Amino acid sequence: MERGALAGGSAAAEVAGPAPTAALAEEERESCAGLWELPVERCERRPECGRCGRPQKVCLCPFLPVHPLKVSTCLYIIQHPAEESRVLRTVPLLVACLPPDKCKVLIGRRFSEDRYPELAAVCRNPSTLILYPGAEATNLEEIALMPSSPSVMIIIDGTWSQAKDIFYKNSLFRLPKQVQLKTNISSQYVIRTQPTNTCLSTLECAAVALTIMEKNKSIQETILRPLQALCSFQLQHGAQIHHSKEHLLKNGLYDKPMPKNKRKLRRMELLVNNVKI
Ligand SMILES: [Zn+2]
């Protein structure tokens, strides 16, 4: 977001209308001096850590494992382009926890067989799973119990509607076996509103899925450590706890106008009544 704001600032400077008079130009230079300096200063003051992608001051590397986790499962994170530019994003933390050949991030909305032959081959492989909840999805625990464990998992990173769009509009993603997580853990990612209490961030999904597939409880703990640190840091610095919509509705704290759209209203009723949607 900061970068976007900076880019906007310089663009505005370039398209400034007709040349002002000398006196006015001088005056403008003076009044804007602080503004022009600000972005440069901020950029210099807030270099990003090359490993965790966070500003160096709030680098989360001390909470990351010293060596990448040894896993046999390979994750493919399909990231909606809007996710990449979010200020608080969890995928760089996941990438930093895993060996580079076990976590691949592909950014985009449309993935055709022609443009993504490697991904197409992965999707056609019978040992590949895609994490996308729904009536047709099998619980991951059941699959992990089978003698030949699957070795690749595709996870879509985005809001619910972005993930839905990516899942349904790319025929490749309908090829792998569809799985879901039957988990009771509540999201710890409290600084970003999740639609329900059990909606997990991509990092949390990956942590739970890997723990099940690798049959190793410590994986979840290790991957979630930087997320816990990030959340507690944000909360200490004034971030608000974002309760899920479900929590707000159930406790009469939902202060936004109820949707006029009947389908949306129905979804909210289902949330309150604890029906899985
Ligand atoms: Zn770092």
Side-chain angles (χ1 to χ4, degrees):
M1 215 151 112
E2 268 159 24
R3 284 214 190 116
L6 300 188
S10 54
E14 276 162 29
V15 294
T21 62
L24 193 60
E26 186 60 33
E27 196 180 301
E28 264 196 3
R29 238 195 317 274
E30 264 178 30
S31 64
C32 296
L35 283 177
W36 301 138
E37 280 163 20
L38 189 63
V40 179
E41 252 182 28
R42 285 179 80 177
C43 276
E44 278 170 5
R45 235 193 280 144
R46 301 193 61 186
E48 277 181 4
C49 167
R51 190 177 178 213
C52 68
R54 304 278 306 145
Q56 273 179 4
K57 262 192 179 172
V58 286
C59 162
L60 291 172
C61 290
F63 303 96
L64 292 172
V66 180
H67 302 293
L69 289 170
K70 285 200 178 89
V71 291
S72 55
T73 310
C74 179
L75 297 181
Y76 274 81
I77 308 294
I78 305 300
Q79 188 172 60
H80 190 279
E83 273 308 298
E84 196 199 0
S85 57
R86 277 184 183 277
V87 177
L88 292 170
R89 45 200 205 276
T90 60
V91 169
L93 298 175
L94 178 65
V95 171
C97 286
L98 297 169
D101 63 325
K102 296 297 182 191
C103 186
K104 295 172 187 176
V105 181
L106 299 174
I107 299 164
R109 297 172 70 229
R110 297 293 173 261
F111 297 87
S112 66
E113 186 133 19
D114 295 345
R115 286 189 58 205
Y116 295 89
E118 188 199 324
L119 179 68
V122 165
C123 289
R124 292 191 187 285
N125 186 330
S127 68
T128 299
L129 306 173
I130 186 160
L131 188 67
Y132 192 84
E136 284 158 39
T138 312
N139 290 331
L140 181 61
E141 282 94 338
E142 290 167 33
I143 291 183
L145 287 176
M146 295 197 298
S148 60
S149 288
S151 55
V152 183
M153 173 167 281
I154 299 172
I155 300 177
I156 305 172
D157 180 39
T159 62
W160 277 106
S161 61
Q162 288 163 353
K164 192 172 163 189
D165 175 76
I166 289 177
F167 182 71
Y168 286 106
K169 300 244 173 90
N170 291 288
S171 55
L172 275 183
F173 296 143
R174 317 301 303 279
L175 298 174
K177 188 161 186 56
Q178 194 185 334
V179 293
Q180 62 188 3
L181 299 173
K182 197 187 100 197
T183 173
N184 292 323
I185 75 162
S186 265
S187 178
Q188 307 188 25
Y189 194 15
V190 286
I191 44 182
R192 181 166 160 192
T193 313
Q194 310 285 357
T196 73
N197 286 334
T198 46
C199 272
L200 302 178
S201 66
T202 302
L203 184 85
E204 290 168 304
C205 284
V208 174
L210 277 177
T211 296
I212 297 170
M213 290 171 83
E214 302 281 322
K215 301 179 180 69
N216 180 350
K217 275 247 167 204
S218 70
I219 291 180
Q220 190 170 322
E221 240 167 70
T222 308
I223 295 182
L224 294 185
R225 201 174 298 138
L227 181 71
Q228 286 158 355
L230 184 145
C231 289
S232 64
F233 179 86
Q234 296 289 333
L235 293 172
Q236 277 164 27
H237 290 78
Q240 299 277 315
I241 288 194
H242 284 224
H243 287 298
S244 69
K245 210 184 259 182
E246 180 189 8
H247 175 94
L248 295 175
L249 284 167
K250 279 186 183 160
N251 294 285
L253 299 168
Y254 191 74
D255 57 359
K256 293 191 187 128
M258 294 302 272
K260 293 211 172 71
N261 178 318
K262 275 197 182 140
R263 206 165 51 92
K264 280 189 185 161
L265 201 59
R266 174 84 187 123
R267 280 175 71 90
M268 286 177 85
E269 280 168 15
L270 292 174
L271 266 182
V272 177
N273 297 321
N274 247 349
V275 179
K276 198 149 193 233
I277 48 171

